[in-house]
PDB file of all heavy atoms in Angstrom:
ATOM      1  N   GLN Q 280      -9.763 246.561  82.921  1.00  0.00           N
ATOM      2  CA  GLN Q 280      -8.355 246.346  82.487  1.00  0.00           C
ATOM      3  C   GLN Q 280      -8.247 245.462  81.287  1.00  0.00           C
ATOM      4  O   GLN Q 280      -7.164 245.432  80.664  1.00  0.00           O
ATOM      5  CB  GLN Q 280      -7.573 245.626  83.641  1.00  0.00           C
ATOM      6  CG  GLN Q 280      -7.470 246.504  84.877  1.00  0.00           C
ATOM      7  CD  GLN Q 280      -6.882 245.718  85.944  1.00  0.00           C
ATOM      8  OE1 GLN Q 280      -6.191 244.742  85.727  1.00  0.00           O
ATOM      9  NE2 GLN Q 280      -7.138 246.077  87.237  1.00  0.00           N
ATOM     10  N   THR Q 281      -9.327 244.719  80.828  1.00  0.00           N
ATOM     11  CA  THR Q 281      -9.132 243.758  79.799  1.00  0.00           C
ATOM     12  C   THR Q 281     -10.269 243.970  78.819  1.00  0.00           C
ATOM     13  O   THR Q 281     -11.224 244.640  79.051  1.00  0.00           O
ATOM     14  CB  THR Q 281      -9.205 242.286  80.241  1.00  0.00           C
ATOM     15  OG1 THR Q 281     -10.518 241.940  80.651  1.00  0.00           O
ATOM     16  CG2 THR Q 281      -8.281 242.097  81.497  1.00  0.00           C
ATOM     17  N   ASN Q 282     -10.215 243.259  77.670  1.00  0.00           N
ATOM     18  CA  ASN Q 282     -11.228 243.229  76.691  1.00  0.00           C
ATOM     19  C   ASN Q 282     -12.037 241.926  76.715  1.00  0.00           C
ATOM     20  O   ASN Q 282     -12.666 241.565  75.749  1.00  0.00           O
ATOM     21  CB  ASN Q 282     -10.638 243.463  75.282  1.00  0.00           C
ATOM     22  CG  ASN Q 282     -10.035 244.832  75.089  1.00  0.00           C
ATOM     23  OD1 ASN Q 282     -10.645 245.809  75.589  1.00  0.00           O
ATOM     24  ND2 ASN Q 282      -8.895 244.931  74.489  1.00  0.00           N
ATOM     25  N   MET Q 283     -11.903 241.219  77.884  1.00  0.00           N
ATOM     26  CA  MET Q 283     -12.591 239.989  77.978  1.00  0.00           C
ATOM     27  C   MET Q 283     -14.153 240.166  77.808  1.00  0.00           C
ATOM     28  O   MET Q 283     -14.718 241.152  78.315  1.00  0.00           O
ATOM     29  CB  MET Q 283     -12.391 239.306  79.308  1.00  0.00           C
ATOM     30  CG  MET Q 283     -10.952 238.869  79.569  1.00  0.00           C
ATOM     31  SD  MET Q 283     -10.783 238.425  81.340  1.00  0.00           S
ATOM     32  CE  MET Q 283     -11.947 236.978  81.408  1.00  0.00           C
ATOM     33  N   PRO Q 284     -14.794 239.305  77.051  1.00  0.00           N
ATOM     34  CA  PRO Q 284     -16.219 239.307  76.960  1.00  0.00           C
ATOM     35  C   PRO Q 284     -16.898 239.160  78.325  1.00  0.00           C
ATOM     36  O   PRO Q 284     -16.332 238.562  79.280  1.00  0.00           O
ATOM     37  CB  PRO Q 284     -16.678 238.061  76.111  1.00  0.00           C
ATOM     38  CG  PRO Q 284     -15.399 237.761  75.364  1.00  0.00           C
ATOM     39  CD  PRO Q 284     -14.262 238.129  76.148  1.00  0.00           C
ATOM     40  N   ILE Q 285     -17.998 239.833  78.488  1.00  0.00           N
ATOM     41  CA  ILE Q 285     -18.597 239.944  79.904  1.00  0.00           C
ATOM     42  C   ILE Q 285     -18.911 238.511  80.379  1.00  0.00           C
ATOM     43  O   ILE Q 285     -18.767 238.293  81.681  1.00  0.00           O
ATOM     44  CB  ILE Q 285     -19.841 240.753  79.807  1.00  0.00           C
ATOM     45  CG1 ILE Q 285     -19.597 242.163  79.615  1.00  0.00           C
ATOM     46  CG2 ILE Q 285     -20.741 240.596  81.172  1.00  0.00           C
ATOM     47  CD1 ILE Q 285     -20.708 243.128  79.410  1.00  0.00           C
ATOM     48  N   LEU Q 286     -19.275 237.523  79.541  1.00  0.00           N
ATOM     49  CA  LEU Q 286     -19.568 236.161  79.968  1.00  0.00           C
ATOM     50  C   LEU Q 286     -18.338 235.602  80.608  1.00  0.00           C
ATOM     51  O   LEU Q 286     -18.287 234.822  81.553  1.00  0.00           O
ATOM     52  CB  LEU Q 286     -20.120 235.404  78.874  1.00  0.00           C
ATOM     53  CG  LEU Q 286     -20.428 233.912  79.252  1.00  0.00           C
ATOM     54  CD1 LEU Q 286     -21.396 233.805  80.426  1.00  0.00           C
ATOM     55  CD2 LEU Q 286     -20.963 233.127  78.036  1.00  0.00           C
ATOM     56  N   ASP Q 287     -17.161 235.837  79.856  1.00  0.00           N
ATOM     57  CA  ASP Q 287     -15.851 235.284  80.372  1.00  0.00           C
ATOM     58  C   ASP Q 287     -15.421 235.884  81.775  1.00  0.00           C
ATOM     59  O   ASP Q 287     -14.869 235.219  82.595  1.00  0.00           O
ATOM     60  CB  ASP Q 287     -14.743 235.533  79.326  1.00  0.00           C
ATOM     61  CG  ASP Q 287     -14.898 234.655  78.065  1.00  0.00           C
ATOM     62  OD1 ASP Q 287     -15.843 233.849  78.142  1.00  0.00           O
ATOM     63  OD2 ASP Q 287     -14.158 234.869  77.124  1.00  0.00           O
ATOM     64  N   VAL Q 288     -15.784 237.144  81.839  1.00  0.00           N
ATOM     65  CA  VAL Q 288     -15.508 237.834  83.227  1.00  0.00           C
ATOM     66  C   VAL Q 288     -16.382 237.163  84.246  1.00  0.00           C
ATOM     67  O   VAL Q 288     -15.904 236.878  85.359  1.00  0.00           O
ATOM     68  CB  VAL Q 288     -15.825 239.254  83.125  1.00  0.00           C
ATOM     69  CG1 VAL Q 288     -15.772 239.963  84.475  1.00  0.00           C
ATOM     70  CG2 VAL Q 288     -14.808 240.018  82.163  1.00  0.00           C
ATOM     71  N   ALA Q 289     -17.684 236.871  83.954  1.00  0.00           N
ATOM     72  CA  ALA Q 289     -18.486 236.276  84.955  1.00  0.00           C
ATOM     73  C   ALA Q 289     -17.929 234.919  85.347  1.00  0.00           C
ATOM     74  O   ALA Q 289     -17.896 234.536  86.506  1.00  0.00           O
ATOM     75  CB  ALA Q 289     -19.920 236.115  84.312  1.00  0.00           C
ATOM     76  N   ILE Q 290     -17.540 234.083  84.293  1.00  0.00           N
ATOM     77  CA  ILE Q 290     -16.984 232.755  84.643  1.00  0.00           C
ATOM     78  C   ILE Q 290     -15.713 232.862  85.431  1.00  0.00           C
ATOM     79  O   ILE Q 290     -15.377 232.099  86.386  1.00  0.00           O
ATOM     80  CB  ILE Q 290     -16.781 231.978  83.292  1.00  0.00           C
ATOM     81  CG1 ILE Q 290     -18.071 231.716  82.636  1.00  0.00           C
ATOM     82  CG2 ILE Q 290     -15.976 230.735  83.515  1.00  0.00           C
ATOM     83  CD1 ILE Q 290     -17.976 231.119  81.251  1.00  0.00           C
ATOM     84  N   ALA Q 291     -14.854 233.839  85.057  1.00  0.00           N
ATOM     85  CA  ALA Q 291     -13.577 234.033  85.785  1.00  0.00           C
ATOM     86  C   ALA Q 291     -13.782 234.456  87.309  1.00  0.00           C
ATOM     87  O   ALA Q 291     -12.869 234.331  88.012  1.00  0.00           O
ATOM     88  CB  ALA Q 291     -12.759 235.029  85.131  1.00  0.00           C
ATOM     89  N   THR Q 292     -14.926 234.958  87.592  1.00  0.00           N
ATOM     90  CA  THR Q 292     -15.216 235.257  89.012  1.00  0.00           C
ATOM     91  C   THR Q 292     -16.238 234.461  89.626  1.00  0.00           C
ATOM     92  O   THR Q 292     -16.851 234.803  90.636  1.00  0.00           O
ATOM     93  CB  THR Q 292     -15.635 236.726  89.085  1.00  0.00           C
ATOM     94  OG1 THR Q 292     -16.683 237.015  88.141  1.00  0.00           O
ATOM     95  CG2 THR Q 292     -14.429 237.745  88.718  1.00  0.00           C
ATOM     96  N   GLY Q 293     -16.413 233.181  89.133  1.00  0.00           N
ATOM     97  CA  GLY Q 293     -17.167 232.244  89.730  1.00  0.00           C
ATOM     98  C   GLY Q 293     -18.727 232.201  89.570  1.00  0.00           C
ATOM     99  O   GLY Q 293     -19.423 231.605  90.240  1.00  0.00           O
ATOM    100  N   PHE Q 294     -19.142 232.913  88.529  1.00  0.00           N
ATOM    101  CA  PHE Q 294     -20.631 232.963  88.173  1.00  0.00           C
ATOM    102  C   PHE Q 294     -20.864 232.059  87.061  1.00  0.00           C
ATOM    103  O   PHE Q 294     -20.174 232.189  85.949  1.00  0.00           O
ATOM    104  CB  PHE Q 294     -21.048 234.427  87.789  1.00  0.00           C
ATOM    105  CG  PHE Q 294     -20.934 235.393  88.970  1.00  0.00           C
ATOM    106  CD1 PHE Q 294     -19.765 236.020  89.318  1.00  0.00           C
ATOM    107  CD2 PHE Q 294     -22.075 235.533  89.827  1.00  0.00           C
ATOM    108  CE1 PHE Q 294     -19.685 236.951  90.328  1.00  0.00           C
ATOM    109  CE2 PHE Q 294     -22.002 236.442  90.870  1.00  0.00           C
ATOM    110  CZ  PHE Q 294     -20.787 237.246  91.207  1.00  0.00           C
ATOM    111  N   THR Q 295     -21.841 231.235  87.160  1.00  0.00           N
ATOM    112  CA  THR Q 295     -22.237 230.268  86.078  1.00  0.00           C
ATOM    113  C   THR Q 295     -23.380 230.772  85.271  1.00  0.00           C
ATOM    114  O   THR Q 295     -23.733 230.313  84.252  1.00  0.00           O
ATOM    115  CB  THR Q 295     -22.586 228.931  86.637  1.00  0.00           C
ATOM    116  OG1 THR Q 295     -23.586 229.017  87.593  1.00  0.00           O
ATOM    117  CG2 THR Q 295     -21.410 228.278  87.307  1.00  0.00           C
ATOM    118  N   SER Q 296     -24.013 231.899  85.740  1.00  0.00           N
ATOM    119  CA  SER Q 296     -25.193 232.493  85.088  1.00  0.00           C
ATOM    120  C   SER Q 296     -24.913 233.920  84.731  1.00  0.00           C
ATOM    121  O   SER Q 296     -24.527 234.760  85.630  1.00  0.00           O
ATOM    122  CB  SER Q 296     -26.417 232.294  85.942  1.00  0.00           C
ATOM    123  OG  SER Q 296     -27.426 233.220  85.553  1.00  0.00           O
TER     124      SER Q 296
END
Side-chain angles (χ1 to χ4, degrees):
Q280 298 169 25
T281 74
N282 294 318
M283 292 172 62
I285 292 177
L286 180 58
D287 289 353
V288 170
I290 293 171
T292 49
F294 292 90
T295 56
S296 163

